[in-house]
Amino acid sequence: MSRFWSDVVHTLTPYVPGEQPKMDRLVKLNTNESPYGPSPRVIDAVRDAASEDLRRYPDPNADALKQCLATYHGLEPAQVFVGNGSDEVLAHAFMGLLKHDRPLLFPDITYSFYPVYCGLYDIAHRLVPLNECFEIDPADYTGEAGAVIFPNPNAPTGRLMPLEAVEQILKAQPDVVVLVDEAYIDYGGQSAVGLLAEHPNLLITRTFSKSRALAGLRVGYALGSAELVEGLERVKNSFNSYPLGRPAQAGAIASVEDEPWFRDSCQRVIDSREHLTGALERMGFEVLPSAANFIFARHPAHPGADLAAALRERAIIVRHFKLPRIDAFLRITVGTDEECDALIQALGDIL
């Protein structure tokens, strides 16, 4: 503790990001990064943008990227907001759209940055327990709320809500913002973008870090009504007018323009996910149904912490959460087929 800290710093419990260890021959399955590199067109675009023009500020509005994303999703540019990774987009949303007198609602088991933002911005909130199958039940989101946020698919469980259930929450909360965090939607879910026209209170956040393999570039965005996006723009321009550099904007556009690479990469991950799920179930693991690029699994005879430690000894890193209800689980990123096979072999040896 430092006597120079402000009062808010003393009370914060910061988010703990996934470990980025420096180990030889590491099988890294802990941070839900893509197992495949980005489109070659992205590399070319980033290289071209890394010119002497870097001496100049980038476009603060990222107009070309907004137009690209608007065209891709069938929206208007005024309905698109971009930021330095979806975490920054979410941070602006928490401050500008989710902070009200009534509590913000979100699941008790979900993305662990949500309570951190609540602490940072002093946002009243209420945790809504997942049901016994670790699912979000729309009926639990009908009470008084200042706003609602949840990932779909949820993290770290990987469970997907059907679009009908998402709309059920929107209809139950028509007068508050409902934010759907679609960081993993490209791995088997149906996006809520089609609901935007009928629900002006809907905001969707997306990221280039997962399915587009650009975690190192830091690009995220939001889709919603022009009214909601304007609120985000006001916060962003009170914080950092230039969140995306020239290489990031160019690389993101190139990624969107290479649809065949994107679709092929997603399908390869989906195929590997099904292979990994089947192999773990044959070993006796319970694996929750996943529509993400990770699986959430537990073994009835082996604590999650013990399995994670034993895998680490074999240079395989997975994510374990020391939290109520999910302490027995491991969150395992879907890697390449070779990485998945290495994990399966290691677990077979451990068990």
Side-chain angles (χ1 to χ4, degrees):
M1 296 292 187
S2 170
R3 62 190 178 93
F4 297 108
W5 293 355
S6 66
D7 289 342
V8 68
V9 174
H10 281 283
T11 62
L12 289 178
T13 302
Y15 173 75
V16 179
E19 186 183 5
Q20 300 287 348
K22 296 177 176 62
M23 299 170 59
D24 293 335
R25 300 185 306 278
L26 177 69
V27 177
K28 189 174 183 298
L29 305 175
N30 68 320
T31 49
N32 300 340
E33 294 146 326
S34 172
Y36 308 110
S39 162
R41 292 172 61 172
V42 172
I43 304 300
D44 291 341
V46 170
R47 185 179 295 114
D48 291 344
S51 67
E52 65 176 20
D53 285 341
L54 289 178
R55 66 191 176 89
R56 299 192 181 278
Y57 286 107
D59 176 5
N61 296 319
D63 287 329
L65 177 55
K66 288 181 180 179
Q67 180 62 67
C68 177
L69 289 168
T71 300
Y72 185 80
H73 290 290
L75 302 172
E76 296 297 323
Q79 294 179 269
V80 180
F81 177 81
V82 298
N84 188 253
S86 63
D87 285 338
E88 182 182 78
V89 177
L90 287 167
H92 293 338
F94 268 76
M95 173 176 279
L97 302 175
L98 306 184
K99 181 182 170 97
H100 300 283
D101 293 335
R102 290 174 294 175
L104 169 65
L105 307 186
F106 54 86
D108 65 332
I109 300 171
T110 194
Y111 185 29
S112 52
F113 227 137
Y114 297 167
V116 172
Y117 289 137
C118 288
L120 179 61
Y121 298 126
D122 192 25
I123 299 174
H125 61 284
R126 178 166 64 84
L127 304 183
V128 182
L130 301 180
N131 66 21
E132 60 183 13
C133 297
F134 297 98
E135 297 169 312
I136 295 173
D137 187 342
D140 294 333
Y141 290 83
T142 58
E144 181 181 66
V148 176
I149 183 173
F150 55 88
N152 195 37
N154 194 16
T157 64
R159 301 210 65 146
L160 177 72
M161 289 178 67
L163 207 55
E164 295 79 8
V166 174
E167 189 164 27
Q168 188 176 336
I169 295 176
L170 285 163
K171 290 180 177 178
Q173 299 285 358
D175 299 319
V176 304
V177 173
V178 175
L179 195 161
V180 182
D181 184 348
E182 292 189 343
Y184 301 100
I185 197 67
D186 296 320
Y187 293 109
Q190 184 179 2
S191 174
V193 170
L195 302 177
L196 287 171
E198 296 181 15
H199 298 280
N201 61 323
L202 171 61
L203 186 74
I204 300 166
T205 56
R206 305 286 296 266
T207 180
F208 280 72
S209 297
K210 313 300 183 183
S211 56
R212 295 190 179 275
L214 291 176
L217 211 55
R218 311 308 303 132
V219 181
Y221 63 103
L223 307 170
S225 67
E227 177 185 8
L228 294 182
V229 168
E230 175 60 23
L232 294 175
E233 295 285 358
R234 290 174 65 85
V235 175
K236 168 244 179 184
N237 286 316
S238 301
F239 177 76
N240 178 12
S241 294
Y242 302 96
L244 291 182
R246 290 173 179 270
Q249 293 185 37
I253 291 171
S255 176
V256 175
E257 291 177 343
D258 195 348
E259 184 72 3
W261 175 90
F262 168 68
R263 292 298 172 191
D264 178 70
S265 177
C266 288
Q267 189 59 53
R268 292 168 71 186
V269 171
I270 292 169
D271 292 343
S272 296
R273 182 185 70 207
E274 300 312 306
H275 166 70
L276 179 58
T277 296
L280 291 181
E281 288 177 339
R282 288 189 291 272
M283 290 182 178
F285 281 86
E286 174 193 0
V287 183
L288 298 188
S290 175
N293 69 336
F294 60 86
I295 61 174
F296 207 49
R298 63 182 170 185
H299 196 282
H302 297 271
D306 292 351
L307 289 174
L311 287 169
R312 173 180 285 273
E313 293 176 356
R314 293 161 172 80
I316 299 174
I317 307 297
V318 298
R319 193 79 186 265
H320 174 253
F321 298 91
K322 297 179 181 179
L323 296 172
R325 298 185 68 190
I326 60 172
D327 185 67
F329 283 89
L330 298 177
R331 194 196 69 188
I332 304 169
T333 301
V334 177
T336 63
D337 287 341
E338 292 76 17
E339 290 172 329
C340 290
D341 288 342
L343 171 73
I344 292 165
Q345 180 175 344
L347 285 172
D349 294 340
I350 294 166
L351 298 179

